[in-house]
Amino acid sequence: MSSMLQNLIALLGLLIVAGLGYYLYTQSGGSLTNTSVSGTNEAALEAAEFLARLNELQTLNLDDGLFNDPRFRSLTDVRAEVIAIPVGRNNPFEVSN
């Protein structure tokens, strides 16, 4: 094939791909802008839910009377102390002379 014919075929293919892309974009109604708007709406809903839960947490009143109870103060710690055990050599791949 001649180089002119190859150029025409490449140009025709490029125009077909561009036309198909434009057709698909117009059929979806510009979905690129719609997805960004729906993403913004979703973020706004999540922010509103977060603020509602934050308000619920801020209205809670915790009673610290439990810590002054004699039964709580009589509890003892039963944890055992962990004794450090020496491990082998620092570097097992080190060759000693």
Side-chain angles (χ1 to χ4, degrees):
M1 275 199 238
S2 70
S3 64
M4 185 154 182
L5 183 61
Q6 288 177 346
N7 289 343
L8 286 175
I9 291 174
L11 182 62
L12 183 63
L14 184 63
L15 288 174
I16 290 173
V17 169
L20 181 63
Y22 178 75
Y23 173 76
L24 291 175
Y25 178 75
T26 57
Q27 291 299 315
S28 64
S31 65
L32 295 176
T33 57
N34 289 340
T35 54
S36 65
V37 170
S38 67
T40 305
N41 289 339
E42 185 176 325
L45 289 174
E46 289 177 6
E49 182 181 347
F50 174 77
L51 290 174
R53 288 185 181 176
L54 179 63
N55 286 336
E56 288 177 18
L57 289 174
Q58 287 177 342
T59 59
L60 290 178
N61 292 325
L62 298 176
D63 182 22
D64 61 349
L66 168 73
F67 300 112
N68 296 325
D69 191 306
R71 292 174 292 182
F72 179 78
R73 294 201 176 266
S74 69
L75 296 175
T76 58
D77 188 11
V78 294
R79 291 181 288 179
E81 184 180 335
V82 178
I83 301 171
I85 300 173
V87 292
R89 298 184 304 206
N90 289 336
N91 184 356
F93 298 105
E94 182 179 10
V95 178
S96 20
N97 293 334

